[in-house]
Amino acid sequence: MKYVKEILRGLLIGVAGIVPGVSGGTLAVSMGVYDQIIGAVSHLFRKPGQSVRILFPYGVGMLVGIGGLAFVIETLFGNFPFATSMAFLGLILGGIPALLKRADFHTDGMKKYMAAVTVFCTMTVAAIAGGDGGAAGELVFCTAGERLLTMGCVGMIASVTMVVPGVSGTMLLMMMGYYQPVLHAFNLVQAGALTGDWQTVLAQQEILLPFTIGLAAGIFLCAKTMETLLNRWESMVYAAVTGLVASSPAVILWGISMGEVGTGQMILGVILLAGGAVLAGKMGE
């Protein structure tokens, strides 16, 4: 029965983790299992048997949750890119009040504002400089070696935010432009496994395998580091994260061709933006 509960908790964390703007870490904290999971990751090599026993049921649940929602999200992005992006943008921006409380800009405000502004400007300039091609287009023209290195680095970068409660790792993937390519590759693997098309499954490992290795390595390497940073400079870390989140409108919407967005989808997008912000705000209370 205990394993069933842990699998169900992992399933909920997986569902939360695949939606940009929703933090799987926060859900783990609210369910009282965050410290247990981070501790198991941090001591994976010191206490492998105990750590694997703790992590396995959560991992199974997370895979089921991610797999069940991946097709739905990709379909929404394919048919309603603006409205779907606006809904996720609402979830992302709705978390700012909770981040502001954690950042506590009233203490050492100047340093924290500088950290937030620096991250905001860096992400915004990077989005504008990246043009409209997006990461998906760049991956097509990469050599195999470049693709392996890129996806490994992307996995490691995303892993940093995944171990910070209140911050969505998939939000960062979306802002970097790699969310949809990774999601598409994951769905192709699922479809290939279900239909016995193992050639497709193997072909997608060029993206997923280095990403997964980078993600796992990053989580392991960052778990202890982030634990230390949050213990010593929690408010400064969240100040920087606030700047990251504030840059999300420019980063997420920059690559969308607004001329192809109809009036109906635009109105729906605004409604979903407001709804997502309210929902995120309620979840952060």
Side-chain angles (χ1 to χ4, degrees), residues 15-48:
V15 169
I18 198 175
V19 178
V22 181
S23 170
T26 297
L27 195 58
V29 170
S30 68
M31 291 189 294
V33 297
Y34 177 79
D35 292 339
Q36 184 183 31
I37 293 174
I38 290 296
V41 172
S42 299
H43 298 93
L44 184 60
F45 291 115
R46 288 177 58 189
K47 301 177 181 178

PDB file of all heavy atoms in Angstrom, residues 15-48:
ATOM      1  N   VAL A  15       2.751  14.809 -13.666  1.00  0.00           N
ATOM      2  CA  VAL A  15       1.758  15.645 -14.355  1.00  0.00           C
ATOM      3  C   VAL A  15       2.082  17.122 -14.161  1.00  0.00           C
ATOM      4  O   VAL A  15       2.044  17.923 -15.099  1.00  0.00           O
ATOM      5  CB  VAL A  15       0.330  15.336 -13.842  1.00  0.00           C
ATOM      6  CG1 VAL A  15      -0.663  16.366 -14.342  1.00  0.00           C
ATOM      7  CG2 VAL A  15      -0.091  13.938 -14.290  1.00  0.00           C
ATOM      8  N   ALA A  16       2.413  17.482 -12.912  1.00  0.00           N
ATOM      9  CA  ALA A  16       2.764  18.881 -12.626  1.00  0.00           C
ATOM     10  C   ALA A  16       4.045  19.280 -13.342  1.00  0.00           C
ATOM     11  O   ALA A  16       4.176  20.400 -13.839  1.00  0.00           O
ATOM     12  CB  ALA A  16       2.919  19.086 -11.119  1.00  0.00           C
ATOM     13  N   GLY A  17       5.000  18.349 -13.412  1.00  0.00           N
ATOM     14  CA  GLY A  17       6.295  18.667 -13.990  1.00  0.00           C
ATOM     15  C   GLY A  17       6.278  18.890 -15.478  1.00  0.00           C
ATOM     16  O   GLY A  17       7.134  19.597 -16.004  1.00  0.00           O
ATOM     17  N   ILE A  18       5.316  18.321 -16.207  1.00  0.00           N
ATOM     18  CA  ILE A  18       5.295  18.462 -17.665  1.00  0.00           C
ATOM     19  C   ILE A  18       4.568  19.725 -18.111  1.00  0.00           C
ATOM     20  O   ILE A  18       4.670  20.148 -19.254  1.00  0.00           O
ATOM     21  CB  ILE A  18       4.655  17.217 -18.334  1.00  0.00           C
ATOM     22  CG1 ILE A  18       5.035  17.164 -19.811  1.00  0.00           C
ATOM     23  CG2 ILE A  18       3.157  17.200 -18.143  1.00  0.00           C
ATOM     24  CD1 ILE A  18       4.548  15.913 -20.515  1.00  0.00           C
ATOM     25  N   VAL A  19       3.827  20.354 -17.221  1.00  0.00           N
ATOM     26  CA  VAL A  19       3.099  21.580 -17.559  1.00  0.00           C
ATOM     27  C   VAL A  19       3.967  22.794 -17.244  1.00  0.00           C
ATOM     28  O   VAL A  19       4.299  23.025 -16.083  1.00  0.00           O
ATOM     29  CB  VAL A  19       1.769  21.682 -16.776  1.00  0.00           C
ATOM     30  CG1 VAL A  19       1.054  22.979 -17.114  1.00  0.00           C
ATOM     31  CG2 VAL A  19       0.878  20.486 -17.086  1.00  0.00           C
ATOM     32  N   PRO A  20       4.366  23.572 -18.263  1.00  0.00           N
ATOM     33  CA  PRO A  20       5.196  24.751 -18.001  1.00  0.00           C
ATOM     34  C   PRO A  20       4.518  25.715 -17.036  1.00  0.00           C
ATOM     35  O   PRO A  20       3.351  26.054 -17.206  1.00  0.00           O
ATOM     36  CB  PRO A  20       5.348  25.387 -19.390  1.00  0.00           C
ATOM     37  CG  PRO A  20       5.143  24.260 -20.350  1.00  0.00           C
ATOM     38  CD  PRO A  20       4.105  23.385 -19.698  1.00  0.00           C
ATOM     39  N   GLY A  21       5.252  26.127 -16.026  1.00  0.00           N
ATOM     40  CA  GLY A  21       4.702  27.072 -15.048  1.00  0.00           C
ATOM     41  C   GLY A  21       4.234  26.396 -13.777  1.00  0.00           C
ATOM     42  O   GLY A  21       4.053  27.058 -12.763  1.00  0.00           O
ATOM     43  N   VAL A  22       4.024  25.084 -13.833  1.00  0.00           N
ATOM     44  CA  VAL A  22       3.607  24.345 -12.645  1.00  0.00           C
ATOM     45  C   VAL A  22       4.819  23.602 -12.102  1.00  0.00           C
ATOM     46  O   VAL A  22       5.507  22.899 -12.841  1.00  0.00           O
ATOM     47  CB  VAL A  22       2.469  23.355 -12.965  1.00  0.00           C
ATOM     48  CG1 VAL A  22       2.045  22.620 -11.706  1.00  0.00           C
ATOM     49  CG2 VAL A  22       1.287  24.096 -13.573  1.00  0.00           C
ATOM     50  N   SER A  23       5.097  23.774 -10.831  1.00  0.00           N
ATOM     51  CA  SER A  23       6.308  23.207 -10.236  1.00  0.00           C
ATOM     52  C   SER A  23       6.056  21.852  -9.603  1.00  0.00           C
ATOM     53  O   SER A  23       5.264  21.740  -8.663  1.00  0.00           O
ATOM     54  CB  SER A  23       6.867  24.175  -9.179  1.00  0.00           C
ATOM     55  OG  SER A  23       7.885  23.547  -8.437  1.00  0.00           O
ATOM     56  N   GLY A  24       6.728  20.825 -10.146  1.00  0.00           N
ATOM     57  CA  GLY A  24       6.656  19.512  -9.526  1.00  0.00           C
ATOM     58  C   GLY A  24       7.299  19.526  -8.153  1.00  0.00           C
ATOM     59  O   GLY A  24       6.870  18.812  -7.252  1.00  0.00           O
ATOM     60  N   GLY A  25       8.332  20.370  -7.987  1.00  0.00           N
ATOM     61  CA  GLY A  25       8.999  20.495  -6.695  1.00  0.00           C
ATOM     62  C   GLY A  25       8.073  21.025  -5.618  1.00  0.00           C
ATOM     63  O   GLY A  25       8.087  20.554  -4.476  1.00  0.00           O
ATOM     64  N   THR A  26       7.262  22.013  -5.980  1.00  0.00           N
ATOM     65  CA  THR A  26       6.316  22.578  -5.015  1.00  0.00           C
ATOM     66  C   THR A  26       5.286  21.539  -4.590  1.00  0.00           C
ATOM     67  O   THR A  26       4.926  21.437  -3.421  1.00  0.00           O
ATOM     68  CB  THR A  26       5.576  23.791  -5.624  1.00  0.00           C
ATOM     69  OG1 THR A  26       6.535  24.810  -5.907  1.00  0.00           O
ATOM     70  CG2 THR A  26       4.540  24.340  -4.676  1.00  0.00           C
ATOM     71  N   LEU A  27       4.823  20.751  -5.571  1.00  0.00           N
ATOM     72  CA  LEU A  27       3.852  19.702  -5.254  1.00  0.00           C
ATOM     73  C   LEU A  27       4.486  18.662  -4.333  1.00  0.00           C
ATOM     74  O   LEU A  27       3.834  18.169  -3.402  1.00  0.00           O
ATOM     75  CB  LEU A  27       3.361  19.041  -6.543  1.00  0.00           C
ATOM     76  CG  LEU A  27       2.097  18.182  -6.432  1.00  0.00           C
ATOM     77  CD1 LEU A  27       0.931  19.005  -5.899  1.00  0.00           C
ATOM     78  CD2 LEU A  27       1.748  17.587  -7.776  1.00  0.00           C
ATOM     79  N   ALA A  28       5.754  18.353  -4.573  1.00  0.00           N
ATOM     80  CA  ALA A  28       6.454  17.403  -3.707  1.00  0.00           C
ATOM     81  C   ALA A  28       6.570  17.950  -2.286  1.00  0.00           C
ATOM     82  O   ALA A  28       6.419  17.208  -1.310  1.00  0.00           O
ATOM     83  CB  ALA A  28       7.847  17.110  -4.273  1.00  0.00           C
ATOM     84  N   VAL A  29       6.826  19.262  -2.177  1.00  0.00           N
ATOM     85  CA  VAL A  29       6.896  19.891  -0.853  1.00  0.00           C
ATOM     86  C   VAL A  29       5.549  19.806  -0.155  1.00  0.00           C
ATOM     87  O   VAL A  29       5.453  19.461   1.030  1.00  0.00           O
ATOM     88  CB  VAL A  29       7.346  21.368  -0.969  1.00  0.00           C
ATOM     89  CG1 VAL A  29       7.181  22.081   0.365  1.00  0.00           C
ATOM     90  CG2 VAL A  29       8.802  21.443  -1.406  1.00  0.00           C
ATOM     91  N   SER A  30       4.477  20.122  -0.894  1.00  0.00           N
ATOM     92  CA  SER A  30       3.140  20.133  -0.298  1.00  0.00           C
ATOM     93  C   SER A  30       2.704  18.743   0.147  1.00  0.00           C
ATOM     94  O   SER A  30       1.917  18.602   1.085  1.00  0.00           O
ATOM     95  CB  SER A  30       2.116  20.700  -1.300  1.00  0.00           C
ATOM     96  OG  SER A  30       1.939  19.824  -2.398  1.00  0.00           O
ATOM     97  N   MET A  31       3.232  17.698  -0.508  1.00  0.00           N
ATOM     98  CA  MET A  31       2.891  16.327  -0.136  1.00  0.00           C
ATOM     99  C   MET A  31       3.861  15.765   0.901  1.00  0.00           C
ATOM    100  O   MET A  31       3.724  14.629   1.336  1.00  0.00           O
ATOM    101  CB  MET A  31       2.873  15.420  -1.381  1.00  0.00           C
ATOM    102  CG  MET A  31       1.732  15.725  -2.335  1.00  0.00           C
ATOM    103  SD  MET A  31       1.561  14.497  -3.673  1.00  0.00           S
ATOM    104  CE  MET A  31       3.097  14.758  -4.575  1.00  0.00           C
ATOM    105  N   GLY A  32       4.859  16.578   1.266  1.00  0.00           N
ATOM    106  CA  GLY A  32       5.792  16.180   2.309  1.00  0.00           C
ATOM    107  C   GLY A  32       6.843  15.172   1.892  1.00  0.00           C
ATOM    108  O   GLY A  32       7.413  14.476   2.748  1.00  0.00           O
ATOM    109  N   VAL A  33       7.136  15.082   0.583  1.00  0.00           N
ATOM    110  CA  VAL A  33       8.112  14.087   0.127  1.00  0.00           C
ATOM    111  C   VAL A  33       9.336  14.731  -0.532  1.00  0.00           C
ATOM    112  O   VAL A  33      10.242  14.017  -0.990  1.00  0.00           O
ATOM    113  CB  VAL A  33       7.465  13.091  -0.869  1.00  0.00           C
ATOM    114  CG1 VAL A  33       6.352  12.313  -0.180  1.00  0.00           C
ATOM    115  CG2 VAL A  33       6.947  13.803  -2.107  1.00  0.00           C
ATOM    116  N   TYR A  34       9.405  16.067  -0.585  1.00  0.00           N
ATOM    117  CA  TYR A  34      10.505  16.745  -1.265  1.00  0.00           C
ATOM    118  C   TYR A  34      11.849  16.419  -0.618  1.00  0.00           C
ATOM    119  O   TYR A  34      12.804  16.026  -1.303  1.00  0.00           O
ATOM    120  CB  TYR A  34      10.279  18.255  -1.273  1.00  0.00           C
ATOM    121  CG  TYR A  34      11.407  19.042  -1.908  1.00  0.00           C
ATOM    122  CD1 TYR A  34      11.516  19.133  -3.294  1.00  0.00           C
ATOM    123  CD2 TYR A  34      12.377  19.677  -1.126  1.00  0.00           C
ATOM    124  CE1 TYR A  34      12.547  19.838  -3.883  1.00  0.00           C
ATOM    125  CE2 TYR A  34      13.413  20.378  -1.713  1.00  0.00           C
ATOM    126  CZ  TYR A  34      13.487  20.463  -3.088  1.00  0.00           C
ATOM    127  OH  TYR A  34      14.529  21.147  -3.669  1.00  0.00           O
ATOM    128  N   ASP A  35      11.939  16.588   0.696  1.00  0.00           N
ATOM    129  CA  ASP A  35      13.202  16.329   1.399  1.00  0.00           C
ATOM    130  C   ASP A  35      13.642  14.880   1.232  1.00  0.00           C
ATOM    131  O   ASP A  35      14.843  14.589   1.098  1.00  0.00           O
ATOM    132  CB  ASP A  35      13.063  16.657   2.888  1.00  0.00           C
ATOM    133  CG  ASP A  35      12.901  18.156   3.131  1.00  0.00           C
ATOM    134  OD1 ASP A  35      13.283  18.929   2.241  1.00  0.00           O
ATOM    135  OD2 ASP A  35      12.396  18.527   4.201  1.00  0.00           O
ATOM    136  N   GLN A  36      12.677  13.972   1.247  1.00  0.00           N
ATOM    137  CA  GLN A  36      12.986  12.546   1.092  1.00  0.00           C
ATOM    138  C   GLN A  36      13.584  12.267  -0.287  1.00  0.00           C
ATOM    139  O   GLN A  36      14.575  11.541  -0.407  1.00  0.00           O
ATOM    140  CB  GLN A  36      11.704  11.723   1.279  1.00  0.00           C
ATOM    141  CG  GLN A  36      11.924  10.218   1.235  1.00  0.00           C
ATOM    142  CD  GLN A  36      10.608   9.451   1.341  1.00  0.00           C
ATOM    143  OE1 GLN A  36       9.566   9.932   0.901  1.00  0.00           O
ATOM    144  NE2 GLN A  36      10.665   8.265   1.920  1.00  0.00           N
ATOM    145  N   ILE A  37      12.981  12.857  -1.337  1.00  0.00           N
ATOM    146  CA  ILE A  37      13.452  12.639  -2.708  1.00  0.00           C
ATOM    147  C   ILE A  37      14.828  13.273  -2.920  1.00  0.00           C
ATOM    148  O   ILE A  37      15.741  12.645  -3.463  1.00  0.00           O
ATOM    149  CB  ILE A  37      12.436  13.200  -3.723  1.00  0.00           C
ATOM    150  CG1 ILE A  37      11.140  12.376  -3.668  1.00  0.00           C
ATOM    151  CG2 ILE A  37      13.017  13.177  -5.137  1.00  0.00           C
ATOM    152  CD1 ILE A  37      10.016  12.925  -4.524  1.00  0.00           C
ATOM    153  N   ILE A  38      14.988  14.531  -2.485  1.00  0.00           N
ATOM    154  CA  ILE A  38      16.272  15.221  -2.636  1.00  0.00           C
ATOM    155  C   ILE A  38      17.361  14.503  -1.850  1.00  0.00           C
ATOM    156  O   ILE A  38      18.501  14.345  -2.314  1.00  0.00           O
ATOM    157  CB  ILE A  38      16.167  16.693  -2.187  1.00  0.00           C
ATOM    158  CG1 ILE A  38      15.319  17.484  -3.177  1.00  0.00           C
ATOM    159  CG2 ILE A  38      17.543  17.330  -2.068  1.00  0.00           C
ATOM    160  CD1 ILE A  38      15.911  17.575  -4.568  1.00  0.00           C
ATOM    161  N   GLY A  39      17.020  14.039  -0.654  1.00  0.00           N
ATOM    162  CA  GLY A  39      17.985  13.303   0.153  1.00  0.00           C
ATOM    163  C   GLY A  39      18.424  12.014  -0.524  1.00  0.00           C
ATOM    164  O   GLY A  39      19.607  11.662  -0.506  1.00  0.00           O
ATOM    165  N   ALA A  40      17.464  11.320  -1.148  1.00  0.00           N
ATOM    166  CA  ALA A  40      17.790  10.071  -1.845  1.00  0.00           C
ATOM    167  C   ALA A  40      18.691  10.332  -3.045  1.00  0.00           C
ATOM    168  O   ALA A  40      19.631   9.574  -3.312  1.00  0.00           O
ATOM    169  CB  ALA A  40      16.502   9.378  -2.290  1.00  0.00           C
ATOM    170  N   VAL A  41      18.422  11.414  -3.771  1.00  0.00           N
ATOM    171  CA  VAL A  41      19.259  11.771  -4.923  1.00  0.00           C
ATOM    172  C   VAL A  41      20.667  12.146  -4.459  1.00  0.00           C
ATOM    173  O   VAL A  41      21.671  11.730  -5.049  1.00  0.00           O
ATOM    174  CB  VAL A  41      18.633  12.943  -5.716  1.00  0.00           C
ATOM    175  CG1 VAL A  41      19.589  13.435  -6.795  1.00  0.00           C
ATOM    176  CG2 VAL A  41      17.320  12.512  -6.353  1.00  0.00           C
ATOM    177  N   SER A  42      20.748  12.944  -3.404  1.00  0.00           N
ATOM    178  CA  SER A  42      22.044  13.414  -2.893  1.00  0.00           C
ATOM    179  C   SER A  42      22.920  12.265  -2.396  1.00  0.00           C
ATOM    180  O   SER A  42      24.143  12.322  -2.479  1.00  0.00           O
ATOM    181  CB  SER A  42      21.837  14.415  -1.757  1.00  0.00           C
ATOM    182  OG  SER A  42      21.118  15.546  -2.194  1.00  0.00           O
ATOM    183  N   HIS A  43      22.285  11.192  -1.870  1.00  0.00           N
ATOM    184  CA  HIS A  43      23.041  10.077  -1.287  1.00  0.00           C
ATOM    185  C   HIS A  43      22.958   8.818  -2.154  1.00  0.00           C
ATOM    186  O   HIS A  43      23.121   7.706  -1.655  1.00  0.00           O
ATOM    187  CB  HIS A  43      22.525   9.768   0.124  1.00  0.00           C
ATOM    188  CG  HIS A  43      22.679  10.907   1.084  1.00  0.00           C
ATOM    189  ND1 HIS A  43      21.687  11.832   1.308  1.00  0.00           N
ATOM    190  CD2 HIS A  43      23.733  11.293   1.862  1.00  0.00           C
ATOM    191  CE1 HIS A  43      22.106  12.724   2.190  1.00  0.00           C
ATOM    192  NE2 HIS A  43      23.338  12.422   2.541  1.00  0.00           N
ATOM    193  N   LEU A  44      22.722   9.035  -3.477  1.00  0.00           N
ATOM    194  CA  LEU A  44      22.530   7.897  -4.378  1.00  0.00           C
ATOM    195  C   LEU A  44      23.740   6.962  -4.391  1.00  0.00           C
ATOM    196  O   LEU A  44      23.590   5.736  -4.434  1.00  0.00           O
ATOM    197  CB  LEU A  44      22.247   8.402  -5.795  1.00  0.00           C
ATOM    198  CG  LEU A  44      21.926   7.331  -6.846  1.00  0.00           C
ATOM    199  CD1 LEU A  44      20.692   6.532  -6.443  1.00  0.00           C
ATOM    200  CD2 LEU A  44      21.717   7.980  -8.212  1.00  0.00           C
ATOM    201  N   PHE A  45      24.954   7.524  -4.362  1.00  0.00           N
ATOM    202  CA  PHE A  45      26.151   6.685  -4.425  1.00  0.00           C
ATOM    203  C   PHE A  45      26.625   6.249  -3.043  1.00  0.00           C
ATOM    204  O   PHE A  45      27.299   5.230  -2.906  1.00  0.00           O
ATOM    205  CB  PHE A  45      27.270   7.427  -5.160  1.00  0.00           C
ATOM    206  CG  PHE A  45      26.985   7.598  -6.628  1.00  0.00           C
ATOM    207  CD1 PHE A  45      26.794   8.858  -7.166  1.00  0.00           C
ATOM    208  CD2 PHE A  45      26.899   6.499  -7.459  1.00  0.00           C
ATOM    209  CE1 PHE A  45      26.523   9.016  -8.514  1.00  0.00           C
ATOM    210  CE2 PHE A  45      26.631   6.644  -8.812  1.00  0.00           C
ATOM    211  CZ  PHE A  45      26.442   7.904  -9.343  1.00  0.00           C
ATOM    212  N   ARG A  46      26.277   7.013  -2.019  1.00  0.00           N
ATOM    213  CA  ARG A  46      26.661   6.630  -0.656  1.00  0.00           C
ATOM    214  C   ARG A  46      25.749   5.537  -0.114  1.00  0.00           C
ATOM    215  O   ARG A  46      26.193   4.632   0.593  1.00  0.00           O
ATOM    216  CB  ARG A  46      26.620   7.853   0.258  1.00  0.00           C
ATOM    217  CG  ARG A  46      27.756   8.852   0.013  1.00  0.00           C
ATOM    218  CD  ARG A  46      27.629  10.069   0.899  1.00  0.00           C
ATOM    219  NE  ARG A  46      27.621   9.709   2.314  1.00  0.00           N
ATOM    220  CZ  ARG A  46      27.339  10.574   3.287  1.00  0.00           C
ATOM    221  NH1 ARG A  46      27.032  11.840   2.984  1.00  0.00           N
ATOM    222  NH2 ARG A  46      27.367  10.198   4.555  1.00  0.00           N
ATOM    223  N   LYS A  47      24.451   5.643  -0.444  1.00  0.00           N
ATOM    224  CA  LYS A  47      23.479   4.652   0.018  1.00  0.00           C
ATOM    225  C   LYS A  47      22.617   4.216  -1.172  1.00  0.00           C
ATOM    226  O   LYS A  47      21.422   4.533  -1.239  1.00  0.00           O
ATOM    227  CB  LYS A  47      22.595   5.240   1.124  1.00  0.00           C
ATOM    228  CG  LYS A  47      23.367   5.731   2.346  1.00  0.00           C
ATOM    229  CD  LYS A  47      22.436   6.374   3.358  1.00  0.00           C
ATOM    230  CE  LYS A  47      23.189   6.900   4.570  1.00  0.00           C
ATOM    231  NZ  LYS A  47      22.287   7.572   5.541  1.00  0.00           N
ATOM    232  N   PRO A  48      23.205   3.512  -2.152  1.00  0.00           N
ATOM    233  CA  PRO A  48      22.483   3.192  -3.398  1.00  0.00           C
ATOM    234  C   PRO A  48      21.212   2.370  -3.194  1.00  0.00           C
ATOM    235  O   PRO A  48      20.173   2.659  -3.793  1.00  0.00           O
ATOM    236  CB  PRO A  48      23.521   2.420  -4.222  1.00  0.00           C
ATOM    237  CG  PRO A  48      24.506   1.916  -3.218  1.00  0.00           C
ATOM    238  CD  PRO A  48      24.556   2.951  -2.143  1.00  0.00           C
TER     239      PRO A  48
END
